[in-house]
Amino acid sequence: MSLQKPMMRGLLAKRLRFHLPIAFGVALAVALSYKFGVTEPRKRAYANFYKQYDAVKEFNAMREAGVFESVRPSGK
């Protein structure tokens, strides 16, 4: 009994025909799950935050707390 010779000619092409579509499918699935699982909820969270955010009110609160060196609190 002799060992079967390994198939060397066309081995890369044969393996790529099998693995390349699988790799593209997995990459597409991961990209879509990241988009809809991470980025879309993050966009909604930022949109909800900035609907109610008042920059002038925040600035006045930080000014009164003494955060800024160049702007004095209104009582001084």
Side-chain angles (χ1 to χ4, degrees):
M1 212 192 299
S2 66
L3 292 175
Q4 185 179 7
K5 286 188 175 182
M7 186 189 88
M8 301 302 283
R9 189 169 302 226
L11 182 62
L12 177 63
K14 183 180 177 185
R15 302 275 295 178
L16 282 178
R17 258 192 310 270
F18 177 75
H19 287 100
L20 205 57
I22 293 172
F24 277 117
V26 168
L28 183 64
V30 168
L32 288 175
S33 65
Y34 186 81
K35 177 177 173 43
F36 293 112
V38 175
T39 58
E40 293 299 323
R42 188 177 291 170
K43 282 184 195 177
R44 283 193 302 272
Y46 274 102
N48 289 335
F49 174 77
Y50 282 109
K51 279 181 189 175
Q52 302 155 358
Y53 182 71
D54 185 11
V56 175
K57 180 180 170 186
E58 289 293 322
F59 171 74
N60 289 332
M62 287 188 283
R63 182 178 67 187
E64 296 303 320
V67 173
F68 305 115
E69 293 180 8
S70 62
V71 180
R72 293 187 179 156
S74 60
K76 292 183 180 180

